[in-house]
Amino acid sequence: MFCLWGTITIAQKQKVIDNDKILSWDTERKLTWDDFKASTDPDTYGFNDAMTTYTLEILPETVQVDEQDRIQGYQKMDIATYFFKKKSWTVKTDNLSLLAHEQLHFDIAELFARKMRKRFAELKKNKIDTFDAYQNTYTTLWKSCRMYQRQYDDETKHGKDIESNEKWIKKVHKELQELNDFSR
């Protein structure tokens, strides 16, 4: 099960964040059960054994838009993928296949961040500097990410179908590799 933090937030660009609240996506740093710090959600417990909460944030924090909808400094636009430790929870801390399932939710978020970065790069290359262009890219791919996450949960029965989950892991890691040029 996953939870999406559905607002567009704009934040300072930081290389890697790993504190008691937030973890930025990184190829070297995988989730551990210790990262899931929230109390179990009574509304979803029984249906799911864990919940991963993440966001895709537009960077940098200060984006100035002029009267013609043009972003000043649009060349610096970027996307970061963050896991919220205090909004993610689990009831099982010994199930490694469930942890792999939750990690893949976070990996899927990074996959869509890379898709956004790729589209941002295309906009920048074409010198498109309007706020609406970047906003529309974000909104469209955010919706696609949510649908992809739901499909992943449906096809893997929320990680309970180990064989299907392994297929998804291979699929998503292949897609991440194909978009490696757009990693942070």
Side-chain angles (χ1 to χ4, degrees), residues 24-51:
S24 55
W25 191 93
D26 183 60
T27 56
E28 303 299 318
R29 170 64 161 88
K30 301 300 179 194
L31 295 175
T32 68
W33 284 130
D34 289 336
D35 294 322
F36 293 75
K37 297 185 180 297
S39 298
T40 304
D41 185 342
D43 293 332
T44 58
Y45 178 61
F47 181 65
N48 298 302
D49 294 325
M51 181 167 310

Side-chain angles (χ1 to χ4, degrees), residues 32-139:
T32 68
W33 284 130
D34 289 336
D35 294 322
F36 293 75
K37 297 185 180 297
S39 298
T40 304
D41 185 342
D43 293 332
T44 58
Y45 178 61
F47 181 65
N48 298 302
D49 294 325
M51 181 167 310
T52 293
T53 306
Y54 65 85
T55 192
L56 303 177
E57 291 192 359
I58 296 175
L59 304 172
E61 182 178 329
T62 54
V63 175
Q64 295 179 7
V65 181
D66 68 18
E67 292 174 355
Q68 285 78 39
D69 190 43
R70 292 192 181 100
I71 300 170
Q72 305 302 307
Y74 72 95
Q75 293 288 349
K76 295 178 184 175
M77 297 291 286
D78 196 5
I79 299 288
T81 309
Y82 297 125
F83 173 87
F84 292 104
K85 294 179 180 184
K86 292 190 174 185
K87 294 183 182 217
S88 300
W89 57 266
T90 186
V91 294
K92 297 185 177 186
T93 58
D94 60 346
N95 186 329
L96 295 180
S97 62
L98 180 59
L99 183 59
H101 179 80
E102 296 307 313
Q103 176 66 52
L104 201 65
H105 277 299
F106 196 27
D107 293 346
I108 289 169
E110 173 61 17
L111 172 64
F112 279 85
R114 290 181 187 189
K115 290 179 180 194
M116 288 179 194
R117 289 184 205 116
K118 179 180 179 184
R119 180 65 182 132
F120 279 16
E122 292 165 358
L123 292 170
K124 292 171 189 177
K125 181 180 177 185
N126 292 316
K127 300 193 185 317
I128 297 172
D129 61 356
T130 60
F131 181 80
D132 283 348
Y134 291 87
Q135 176 70 38
N136 290 340
T137 293
Y138 180 94
T139 301

